Amino acid sequence: MDFIYSIIIPHKNIPKLLQRCLDSIPERDDVQVIIVDDNSDPAIVDFEHFPGLQRKNTIVVFDKSSKGAGHARNIGIEHSNSKWLIFADADDFFNYCIDECLDKYKDASEDVIYFFANSLDSVTYVNNNRGGAVNNQLERYMSDNESNEWLVRYESGCYRKISHQI
């Protein structure tokens, strides 16, 4: 295991937003970034100057199968070499506290760690409630773990015990 974290990012046809996502990820020796491009259109994406190609600890995989983001994430998992997996979409970006979170959880014993979502409009950066449903599930789970465990096991796609959220 060479890294503590692998951040897996599926991408299709939004190179400027992918670059913004990459700019929000600190370049650290313990962080690997894996970008899987899902058959982007060459009329939209400049493959010679693809975001991440020159970035430290970054793998860029060009997949031509057009099987979607889930398939791209699975390809990213195959290329990961780390203890923890972090999934982001190409239009996401990380909060200013990402370094602190990475330091805090690198030695955690849990299988999965969930974070409350905060969501901003991509253009105006004004708060919106896109993460509301996820946050409601986490709040219900935290209020009564046993009765609401199904929320994190089946509604969110997670099948293992989660830790406390920040």
Side-chain angles (χ1 to χ4, degrees), residues 42-59:
I44 298 170
V45 175
D46 178 359
F47 289 101
E48 288 184 31
H49 300 97
F50 192 86
L53 285 177
Q54 303 303 318
R55 184 185 164 98
K56 175 182 173 184
N57 297 336
T58 300
I59 298 170

Side-chain angles (χ1 to χ4, degrees), residues 85-139:
L85 300 175
I86 299 173
F87 297 99
D89 291 331
D91 63 344
D92 291 340
F93 57 97
F94 289 89
N95 286 344
Y96 62 91
C97 62
I98 183 68
D99 264 322
E100 178 184 324
C101 290
L102 295 174
D103 289 340
K104 181 175 181 177
Y105 291 103
K106 66 182 177 186
D107 295 319
S109 61
E110 289 81 10
D111 293 326
V112 176
I113 299 171
Y114 281 100
F115 295 89
F116 283 103
N118 75 356
S119 184
L120 303 175
D121 181 274
S122 187
V123 175
T124 65
Y125 295 100
V126 173
N127 284 327
N128 64 32
N129 194 30
R130 277 187 62 197
V134 170
N135 291 343
N136 288 339
Q137 287 178 337
L138 290 174
E139 286 171 2

